[in-house]
Amino acid sequence: MPGFPENPRVRFAPSPTGYLHVGGARTALFNWLFARHFAGVFLLRIEDTDVSRSTPEMVEGILEGLQWLGIAWDEGPYYQSRRTELYRLAVDKLISTGAAYYCFCRKEELEDRPAQATGEGRLPRYQGTCRRIPAAEALRRKQAGEAAAVRFAVPQGGSTGFEDAVFGKVEFSNSELEDFVLARSDSSPTYHLSAVADDIDLRITHIIRGADHISNTPKQVLLYNALGAATPVFAHVPLILGADKTRLSKRHGATSVIAYREEGIVPEALRNFLALLGWTPPAGSSEILKDDALIRFFSLEAISRSNAVFDRSKLDWFNTEYIRSYPAERLLPLIEEEWKKAGVKLRSRDGTWLLSTIDLLKGRARSLKDFAGSFRAFFSDEFQPDPAALDKFLKDTGVRKMLVELGDRYGNLEDFSEQETERVLRDFAAARGVKAGALINGARVALTGQAVAPSLFAVMTALGKSTTVERLRGVEQLPLEALSLGSLKT
RNA sequence: GGCGCUAUCGUCUAGGGGUUAGGACGGAAGAUUCUCAAUCUUCAAACCCGGGUUCGAUUCCCGGUAGCGCUACCA
């Protein structure tokens, strides 16, 4: 039982037939947390035994996703495609002990089996035809060059069960298991064989994987037994579903870990969010859990048994929390990436200025992309004012005129501080008999292109005197969004 | 279809034979006034259904239903 395992060895064993999706990433994360918690070893193994469906690009993508998420492996990656000798030995052993047998049925004739079987009201299962061939005859045919797959001889009768660290006792009747294939006719191993042979060879103590493997487990337990090895602890983790509660797929938008990087999610936020999908920290703890807390708290016992829906808005919340908690120094390199991607030309590269401006804005960011998007005017002179913002606060030509005048006043202001700029604006508004708010909101749009931004006077000092003056003076050149529809008609 | 697993607010979940069923995200309302995507305050929101056990079930048992998984010479 889990308890306090000594030197546990766990693995994440993705099949490179697709990118690293959030489900796989969470499985990897749980393995990693478990290993770190018990000072064990976390290793990575690439299950590429199906050469027709595995590609090196996919392997790259998976490694990249793991690295980005900060999930580092201690051993590997091991590639199953390079460990075929191990599987061949295991198959030989099973054949020699009679635990497995050659099957000469051709793939094609097996293919219409399901349809045929259901038509006859039978279960679409391998009937064990070749199991009845005497071993000597089978060996002779095999040596004569006849193509043969290798099947496992599932015990007739009885049942096979295991104690799952998450689900408890699970048991299957052996009559439910068919004589599954261990090696294809080209002698390449299939999943069950290679996984078990590897897990034995790599001395894996705990198998933490998706709950979709629960039904596979009895077959593997049988294999452990037949190979004379002790079974590891199994811990199945419930699946992650889309908002419609169906299995996560491309239909649900981003499911690739890398896609979240592209969306401006910081890795720590995704990690924290993923950890909390199906796992509960101790009562009373905050949900914002950095690595050390995650590692300290993690336990297989606190993994839930029901599937979890991926909630994008909660991920976004984690992201805002992490972004605002980071010092600007940590944010800067991440943000520079976004500027590069968006082609943002900076107004200034002054370090202190960049850092203080990031500090001014980070509390309002939902994503790293905001720094190249709605915050763009702070960092660059090239930005498109938001039409809705123009419509909301800069429709009034009177306000526009006053803002130009205000710009002139600021041009003559010696002390361009938050206090002084505010005093000047309020005095000006009072003198003109307009509400300060009207000028403030208009100026915000003129300066940032947005209706939403930090306090105006903080904005002005962040922008600096000359840019503030310049943008205010240019206010009349901004389009009058409200008129555009009407003017098209006339 | 068969087998397996699961079932508490919209979502992630806590809890547990007697509770005002707790928290978080999201939502709503209010406050603030210089905007809100900030902040503060408040509110709404759940035990799948039916039997059984019991003085008492959301909790334990059984059945149903639903969802998910597996049912390949995929992993």
Side-chain angles (χ1 to χ4, degrees):
Chain A
M1 280 302 86
F4 295 95
E6 307 236 343
N7 311 314
R9 290 173 60 83
V10 296
R11 68 356 182 234
F12 175 55
S15 168
T17 52
Y19 47 73
L20 178 67
H21 55 89
V22 293
R26 190 195 52 173
T27 300
L29 177 63
F30 281 9
N31 273 284
W32 180 78
L33 290 173
F34 183 79
R36 288 288 173 276
H37 181 88
F38 290 111
V41 172
F42 170 62
L43 59 89
L44 183 61
R45 184 174 74 220
I46 305 297
E47 308 221 325
D48 55 353
T49 54
D50 185 350
V51 278
S52 59
R53 302 204 311 156
S54 307
T55 70
E57 292 72 43
M58 292 302 185
V59 174
E60 261 323 298
I62 289 169
L63 300 187
E64 189 186 352
L66 252 19
Q67 279 157 349
W68 177 69
L69 263 181
I71 299 174
W73 51 95
D74 308 305
E75 279 183 25
Y78 296 99
Y79 290 84
Q80 291 195 321
S81 56
R82 297 176 202 165
R83 295 164 61 83
T84 51
E85 181 63 10
L86 181 70
Y87 315 131
R88 200 183 55 74
L89 256 30
V91 169
D92 288 350
K93 183 173 179 184
L94 293 168
I95 287 274
S96 68
T97 60
Y101 59 90
Y102 289 114
C103 173
F104 301 96
C105 299
R106 274 176 312 164
K107 196 178 172 184
E108 307 80 64
E109 54 197 40
L110 258 22
E111 244 144 37
D112 41 49
R113 169 165 56 111
Q116 198 184 325
T118 42
E120 295 168 14
R122 282 186 291 109
L123 256 32
R125 193 179 300 156
Y126 181 65
Q127 294 301 301
T129 326
C130 297
R131 185 167 177 167
R132 292 186 281 272
I133 300 174
E137 182 191 333
L139 189 61
R140 198 181 61 239
R141 283 171 68 178
K142 168 73 177 158
Q143 281 169 347
E146 192 170 341
V150 176
R151 285 182 186 271
F152 185 78
V154 172
Q156 333 246 250
S159 62
T160 304
F162 58 99
E163 182 72 26
D164 192 282
V166 173
F167 287 89
K169 197 165 187 52
V170 185
E171 199 163 352
F172 291 78
S173 165
N174 288 339
S175 61
E176 291 300 322
L177 277 26
E178 75 172 338
D179 284 355
F180 53 97
V181 171
L182 299 174
R184 306 183 179 90
S185 3
D186 67 359
S187 83
S188 65
T190 62
Y191 166 67
H192 294 295
L193 191 266
S194 56
V196 171
D198 270 336
D199 286 335
I200 292 171
D201 183 66
L202 298 169
R203 307 189 317 281
I204 299 301
T205 60
H206 296 69
I207 296 184
I208 303 166
R209 64 191 354 173
D212 48 343
H213 285 289
I214 288 179
S215 311
N216 289 326
T217 309
K219 294 177 188 169
Q220 296 173 9
V221 168
L222 253 17
L223 270 174
Y224 276 96
N225 295 159
L227 256 7
T231 51
V233 173
F234 291 97
H236 288 97
V237 180
L239 271 22
I240 298 178
L241 310 177
D244 57 359
K245 301 200 177 199
T246 64
R247 197 173 189 166
L248 214 51
S249 70
K250 316 95 231 153
R251 284 186 299 112
H252 298 99
T255 61
S256 154
V257 161
I258 293 303
Y260 289 102
R261 177 177 67 185
E262 249 105 71
E263 289 187 24
I265 301 290
V266 298
E268 238 185 326
L270 183 58
R271 216 182 316 162
N272 196 157
F273 169 71
L274 251 22
L276 261 37
L277 271 188
W279 173 75
T280 314
S285 93
S286 156
E287 292 199 357
I288 299 289
L289 297 165
K290 305 272 172 85
D291 282 359
D292 54 338
L294 245 22
I295 290 167
R296 189 151 30 89
F297 292 148
F298 188 76
S299 79
L300 297 179
E301 291 71 22
I303 294 176
S304 87
R305 282 173 295 279
S306 48
N307 294 341
V309 172
F310 189 95
D311 180 1
R312 180 53 199 264
S313 63
K314 188 149 186 178
L315 204 212
D316 286 334
W317 175 74
F318 276 110
N319 207 39
T320 63
E321 291 294 319
Y322 275 94
I323 290 175
R324 75 174 45 178
S325 77
Y326 285 169
E329 290 78 8
R330 178 162 181 185
L331 251 14
L332 183 57
L334 302 175
I335 293 169
E336 281 176 322
E337 276 304 302
E338 298 298 329
W339 286 332
K340 206 193 294 177
K341 278 195 283 184
V344 173
K345 268 193 237 136
L346 294 182
R347 305 168 40 220
S348 157
R349 297 197 167 273
D350 179 78
T352 15
W353 171 72
L354 280 173
L355 260 19
S356 65
T357 306
I358 288 170
D359 271 326
L360 174 67
L361 295 166
K362 69 181 186 186
R364 321 177 141 258
R366 249 190 137 53
S367 150
L368 291 172
K369 294 186 90 62
D370 290 337
F371 290 90
S374 56
F375 304 160
R376 189 186 182 119
F378 285 86
F379 301 102
S380 175
D381 287 321
E382 296 170 4
F383 64 95
Q384 290 293 320
D386 174 19
L390 292 172
D391 187 57
K392 191 171 176 190
F393 292 124
L394 278 182
K395 250 192 312 205
D396 188 326
T397 47
V399 167
R400 289 184 173 224
K401 279 205 172 65
M402 282 185 262
L403 287 176
V404 173
E405 262 185 81
L406 182 65
D408 291 337
R409 295 206 177 191
Y410 281 143
N412 300 324
L413 185 62
E414 286 299 317
D415 176 15
F416 199 74
S417 64
E418 285 192 40
Q419 296 71 23
E420 278 304 287
T421 48
E422 175 159 12
R423 189 190 57 76
V424 168
L425 184 142
R426 289 190 186 278
D427 286 353
F428 178 69
R432 292 310 170 87
V434 295
K435 282 174 113 169
L439 257 28
I440 288 170
N441 289 331
R444 176 178 289 107
V445 178
L447 297 179
T448 70
Q450 301 290 319
V452 172
S455 162
L456 179 70
F457 306 102
V459 170
M460 288 185 180
T461 48
L463 249 24
K465 180 170 160 179
S466 65
T467 300
T468 298
V469 169
E470 189 183 316
R471 289 185 187 174
L472 286 176
R473 282 177 174 159
V475 101
E476 290 189 297
Q477 271 73 256
L478 293 173
L480 276 167
E481 187 56 26
L483 300 179
S484 63
L485 255 178
S487 55
L488 275 175
K489 276 192 277 184
T490 42

